[in-house]
Amino acid sequence: MKFTVLTLFPDIVRAYFDSSIMAKAVEKGIIAYDLVNIRDFATDKHRTCDDGTYGGGAGQLMMPVPLGNALDSVSASRKYVIYVTPGGKPLTQTMAQELSHKDELVFICGRYEGIDQRIIDSYVDAEISIGDYVMSSGEVAATVVIDTVYRLVDGVISHESLEEESYCDGLLEYPQYTRPEEYKGMKVPDVLLSGNHEEIRKWRLRKRLMKTLAYRPDLIAASREKGLLSEEAEKMIEEIAEIAFLKSQKKRHKKARKSQSEC
């Protein structure tokens, strides 16, 4: 798979491709990349790539001519072009999986107030948001998307490592532990030391359900709609809910007794 990144600051992105697992994937030939400096396609001696906006308003906007020329240089009209912007569709694991099957992705890294709408209308296939916030660096946002996608490409990371990650089947990931067995008085759960793989599987599923119910109950609802939850998982959810209800009742009674004793 190839990632082509159009940017005003290629060194920001280059550091990412030259590090860690990505660097190994590039070395193995699984991943390829090309960094295109948009300033190389500016038409004046100052290499100007931004200007004020028509209609007024604060800030500068990336000009269409240099950016369009840069896109043409990589034959972007025949490739899948992504513009990372707060106004795009939210990035999801499902979206990342779909993108991981593309042969090449071309990223436009915005700066300032963004890019001219005519570039979006002419070249962009997908506008993607990495969250409900605004960043000054389109390079950082683009690398977030790239990092989410490239690790799903065959050969980058083992399938076993990907199978039980957060969001892979609509649930968050279970807690994990490594050596030592005891740290600051906290011990690794006995079940993980038991060697009983079936009990470990059940423990991990329960923990995934507990965390998802606590932090992202919307994912549980979505998994139910898609039919992703097994009968075992549904039964565990009932048990978790019952235990939570009993705890809340106990807490309420304790609080009531305390109030009565203070009267």
Side-chain angles (χ1 to χ4, degrees):
M1 184 178 194
K2 183 177 181 180
F3 296 99
T4 297
V5 184
L6 280 64
T7 169
L8 294 173
F9 302 95
D11 287 344
I12 295 176
V13 187
R14 182 176 290 110
Y16 169 77
F17 280 101
D18 289 345
S19 304
S20 190
I21 299 173
M22 173 60 87
K24 294 178 181 178
V26 171
E27 184 179 351
K28 292 177 181 178
I30 301 170
I31 300 296
Y33 71 95
D34 185 19
L35 305 181
V36 179
N37 191 332
I38 300 168
R39 290 196 188 281
D40 292 341
F41 298 87
T43 57
D44 68 327
K45 65 178 182 181
H46 300 294
R47 304 174 78 196
T48 305
C49 289
D50 61 285
D51 205 344
T53 58
Y54 284 116
Q60 300 286 98
L61 196 69
M62 291 180 67
M63 300 164 65
V65 174
L67 183 49
N69 290 341
L71 286 161
D72 289 340
S73 76
V74 298
S75 301
S77 61
R78 299 198 300 269
K79 299 172 182 177
Y80 198 84
V81 180
I82 296 171
Y83 173 46
V84 185
T85 167
K89 291 183 178 180
L91 176 66
T92 64
Q93 190 69 15
T94 298
M95 185 187 296
Q97 289 169 343
E98 293 171 353
L99 293 174
S100 71
H101 297 298
K102 303 285 186 184
D103 293 328
E104 181 174 355
L105 297 177
V106 177
F107 285 83
I108 299 174
C109 298
R111 280 273 169 171
Y112 318 119
E113 292 299 310
I115 67 177
D116 191 291
Q117 181 64 38
R118 290 167 291 185
I119 290 293
I120 297 173
D121 294 341
S122 301
Y123 294 94
V124 173
D125 295 295
E127 295 180 70
I128 296 177
S129 169
I130 63 169
D132 295 340
Y133 48 86
V134 179
M135 302 177 68
S136 61
S137 171
E139 290 76 20
V140 174
T143 55
V144 169
V145 180
I146 292 169
D147 190 88
T148 307
V149 171
Y150 96 97
R151 60 194 305 280
L152 300 174
V153 175
D154 286 343
V156 175
I157 296 177
S158 69
H159 289 291
E160 183 180 359
S161 296
L162 298 173
E163 282 178 354
E164 294 185 338
E165 290 186 321
S166 294
Y167 306 109
C168 70
D169 57 359
L171 301 176
L172 302 181
E173 194 172 13
Y174 51 78
Q176 299 197 59
Y177 303 83
T178 187
R179 291 182 295 179
E181 290 184 17
E182 183 172 340
Y183 172 70
K184 293 187 176 181
M186 296 176 286
K187 296 182 178 180
V188 175
D190 290 339
V191 65
L192 299 181
L193 306 174
S194 68
N196 188 324
H197 297 295
E198 177 60 14
E199 290 303 313
I200 291 172
R201 183 194 65 79
K202 289 180 180 179
W203 180 89
R204 286 176 169 171
L205 176 58
R206 181 179 292 274
K207 289 296 182 180
R208 296 185 76 197
L209 291 167
M210 290 174 66
K211 185 169 185 178
T212 308
L213 285 165
Y215 289 92
R216 294 292 304 276
D218 58 302
L219 294 178
I220 296 290
S223 293
R224 280 175 169 157
E225 288 182 6
K226 296 176 183 178
L228 295 177
L229 293 181
S230 64
E231 290 185 12
E232 180 185 33
E234 290 287 7
K235 185 176 179 180
M236 284 186 180
I237 289 174
E238 290 181 8
E239 293 171 354
I240 293 167
E242 184 177 354
I243 291 171
F245 175 75
L246 292 174
K247 283 184 177 179
S248 66
Q249 288 291 95
K250 185 177 181 181
K251 186 176 181 180
R252 187 178 293 110
H253 291 324
K254 184 177 180 181
K255 187 176 181 180
R257 287 197 300 270
K258 184 178 180 181
S259 297
Q260 291 173 0
S261 64
E262 290 175 350
C263 294

Short mmCIF file of all heavy atoms in Angstrom, two decimals, residues 3 16-28 31-33 146-147 150-151 156:
data_model
loop_
_atom_site.label_atom_id
_atom_site.label_comp_id
_atom_site.label_asym_id
_atom_site.label_seq_id
_atom_site.Cartn_x
_atom_site.Cartn_y
_atom_site.Cartn_z
N PHE A 3 1.08 5.54 0.60
CA PHE A 3 0.51 6.77 1.11
C PHE A 3 1.26 7.94 0.47
O PHE A 3 2.49 8.02 0.55
CB PHE A 3 0.68 6.87 2.63
CG PHE A 3 -0.07 5.82 3.40
CD1 PHE A 3 0.57 4.69 3.86
CD2 PHE A 3 -1.43 5.96 3.65
CE1 PHE A 3 -0.11 3.71 4.57
CE2 PHE A 3 -2.12 4.99 4.35
CZ PHE A 3 -1.46 3.86 4.81
N TYR A 16 7.48 10.52 11.06
CA TYR A 16 6.55 9.43 11.37
C TYR A 16 6.88 8.19 10.54
O TYR A 16 6.93 7.08 11.07
CB TYR A 16 5.11 9.89 11.11
CG TYR A 16 4.13 8.75 11.14
CD1 TYR A 16 3.69 8.21 12.34
CD2 TYR A 16 3.65 8.20 9.95
CE1 TYR A 16 2.81 7.15 12.36
CE2 TYR A 16 2.76 7.14 9.97
CZ TYR A 16 2.35 6.62 11.17
OH TYR A 16 1.48 5.56 11.18
N PHE A 17 7.10 8.37 9.25
CA PHE A 17 7.38 7.23 8.37
C PHE A 17 8.74 6.60 8.66
O PHE A 17 8.97 5.44 8.31
CB PHE A 17 7.32 7.66 6.91
CG PHE A 17 5.92 7.76 6.36
CD1 PHE A 17 5.30 8.99 6.24
CD2 PHE A 17 5.22 6.62 6.00
CE1 PHE A 17 4.00 9.08 5.74
CE2 PHE A 17 3.93 6.70 5.50
CZ PHE A 17 3.32 7.94 5.38
N ASP A 18 9.63 7.34 9.30
CA ASP A 18 10.97 6.84 9.58
C ASP A 18 11.10 6.19 10.96
O ASP A 18 12.21 5.90 11.41
CB ASP A 18 11.99 7.99 9.48
CG ASP A 18 12.20 8.44 8.04
OD1 ASP A 18 11.80 7.70 7.13
OD2 ASP A 18 12.76 9.54 7.84
N SER A 19 9.97 5.98 11.64
CA SER A 19 10.03 5.50 13.02
C SER A 19 9.20 4.23 13.25
O SER A 19 8.24 3.95 12.54
CB SER A 19 9.51 6.59 13.97
OG SER A 19 10.21 7.80 13.82
N SER A 20 9.63 3.45 14.23
CA SER A 20 8.87 2.34 14.81
C SER A 20 8.39 1.31 13.78
O SER A 20 9.09 0.97 12.84
CB SER A 20 7.70 2.92 15.61
OG SER A 20 7.06 1.94 16.38
N ILE A 21 7.17 0.82 13.98
CA ILE A 21 6.61 -0.25 13.14
C ILE A 21 6.46 0.21 11.70
O ILE A 21 6.65 -0.57 10.77
CB ILE A 21 5.25 -0.72 13.71
CG1 ILE A 21 5.42 -1.27 15.13
CG2 ILE A 21 4.63 -1.78 12.82
CD1 ILE A 21 4.11 -1.59 15.81
N MET A 22 6.12 1.49 11.52
CA MET A 22 5.98 2.01 10.16
C MET A 22 7.29 1.89 9.40
O MET A 22 7.32 1.46 8.23
CB MET A 22 5.52 3.47 10.19
CG MET A 22 5.51 4.15 8.82
SD MET A 22 4.44 3.35 7.60
CE MET A 22 2.89 4.18 7.95
N ALA A 23 8.39 2.25 10.03
CA ALA A 23 9.70 2.16 9.37
C ALA A 23 10.00 0.72 8.94
O ALA A 23 10.54 0.47 7.86
CB ALA A 23 10.80 2.68 10.30
N LYS A 24 9.63 -0.25 9.79
CA LYS A 24 9.85 -1.66 9.46
C LYS A 24 8.98 -2.09 8.28
O LYS A 24 9.42 -2.85 7.42
CB LYS A 24 9.55 -2.53 10.68
CG LYS A 24 10.52 -2.32 11.84
CD LYS A 24 10.14 -3.18 13.04
CE LYS A 24 11.10 -2.92 14.20
NZ LYS A 24 10.71 -3.72 15.39
N ALA A 25 7.74 -1.60 8.26
CA ALA A 25 6.83 -1.94 7.16
C ALA A 25 7.34 -1.36 5.84
O ALA A 25 7.23 -2.00 4.79
CB ALA A 25 5.43 -1.41 7.47
N VAL A 26 7.91 -0.16 5.90
CA VAL A 26 8.49 0.46 4.71
C VAL A 26 9.71 -0.33 4.24
O VAL A 26 9.90 -0.60 3.05
CB VAL A 26 8.87 1.93 4.99
CG1 VAL A 26 9.66 2.51 3.82
CG2 VAL A 26 7.62 2.77 5.25
N GLU A 27 10.54 -0.73 5.20
CA GLU A 27 11.75 -1.49 4.88
C GLU A 27 11.40 -2.83 4.22
O GLU A 27 12.10 -3.28 3.30
CB GLU A 27 12.56 -1.72 6.15
CG GLU A 27 13.88 -2.42 5.93
CD GLU A 27 14.67 -2.62 7.22
OE1 GLU A 27 14.27 -2.07 8.25
OE2 GLU A 27 15.69 -3.33 7.16
N LYS A 28 10.32 -3.45 4.68
CA LYS A 28 9.90 -4.74 4.12
C LYS A 28 9.20 -4.60 2.77
O LYS A 28 8.95 -5.58 2.09
CB LYS A 28 8.96 -5.45 5.10
CG LYS A 28 9.62 -5.91 6.38
CD LYS A 28 8.59 -6.53 7.31
CE LYS A 28 9.20 -6.99 8.62
NZ LYS A 28 8.17 -7.54 9.54
N ILE A 31 4.69 -1.21 2.91
CA ILE A 31 4.19 0.16 2.81
C ILE A 31 5.18 1.01 2.02
O ILE A 31 6.40 0.88 2.20
CB ILE A 31 3.99 0.79 4.21
CG1 ILE A 31 2.99 -0.03 5.03
CG2 ILE A 31 3.54 2.25 4.09
CD1 ILE A 31 1.58 -0.05 4.47
N ALA A 32 4.65 1.86 1.16
CA ALA A 32 5.47 2.85 0.44
C ALA A 32 4.87 4.22 0.69
O ALA A 32 3.69 4.35 1.03
CB ALA A 32 5.48 2.54 -1.06
N TYR A 33 5.69 5.26 0.56
CA TYR A 33 5.15 6.60 0.77
C TYR A 33 5.88 7.62 -0.09
O TYR A 33 7.01 7.40 -0.53
CB TYR A 33 5.24 7.01 2.25
CG TYR A 33 6.63 7.30 2.75
CD1 TYR A 33 7.12 8.61 2.79
CD2 TYR A 33 7.46 6.29 3.22
CE1 TYR A 33 8.39 8.88 3.26
CE2 TYR A 33 8.72 6.55 3.69
CZ TYR A 33 9.19 7.85 3.72
OH TYR A 33 10.44 8.13 4.19
N ILE A 146 -3.46 7.79 8.87
CA ILE A 146 -2.51 6.84 8.28
C ILE A 146 -2.16 5.75 9.28
O ILE A 146 -2.13 4.56 8.95
CB ILE A 146 -1.23 7.56 7.81
CG1 ILE A 146 -1.56 8.48 6.62
CG2 ILE A 146 -0.15 6.57 7.41
CD1 ILE A 146 -0.44 9.43 6.25
N ASP A 147 -1.93 6.13 10.53
CA ASP A 147 -1.56 5.15 11.55
C ASP A 147 -2.71 4.18 11.81
O ASP A 147 -2.48 2.98 12.03
CB ASP A 147 -1.20 5.87 12.86
CG ASP A 147 -0.58 4.93 13.87
OD1 ASP A 147 0.63 4.75 13.84
OD2 ASP A 147 -1.34 4.36 14.69
N TYR A 150 -2.72 1.89 8.21
CA TYR A 150 -1.61 1.05 7.73
C TYR A 150 -1.43 -0.21 8.56
O TYR A 150 -1.03 -1.27 8.05
CB TYR A 150 -0.31 1.86 7.70
CG TYR A 150 0.57 1.71 8.91
CD1 TYR A 150 1.64 0.81 8.93
CD2 TYR A 150 0.33 2.47 10.06
CE1 TYR A 150 2.44 0.67 10.04
CE2 TYR A 150 1.13 2.34 11.18
CZ TYR A 150 2.18 1.44 11.17
OH TYR A 150 2.97 1.29 12.29
N ARG A 151 -1.74 -0.14 9.85
CA ARG A 151 -1.56 -1.30 10.73
C ARG A 151 -2.52 -2.43 10.39
O ARG A 151 -2.33 -3.57 10.84
CB ARG A 151 -1.71 -0.87 12.19
CG ARG A 151 -3.06 -0.28 12.51
CD ARG A 151 -3.08 0.45 13.85
NE ARG A 151 -2.63 -0.39 14.92
CZ ARG A 151 -3.40 -1.29 15.53
NH1 ARG A 151 -4.64 -1.45 15.12
NH2 ARG A 151 -2.93 -2.02 16.51
N VAL A 156 1.69 -6.18 8.25
CA VAL A 156 2.24 -5.15 9.15
C VAL A 156 2.20 -5.62 10.59
O VAL A 156 3.20 -5.58 11.32
CB VAL A 156 1.47 -3.82 9.00
CG1 VAL A 156 1.97 -2.80 10.03
CG2 VAL A 156 1.64 -3.27 7.59
#
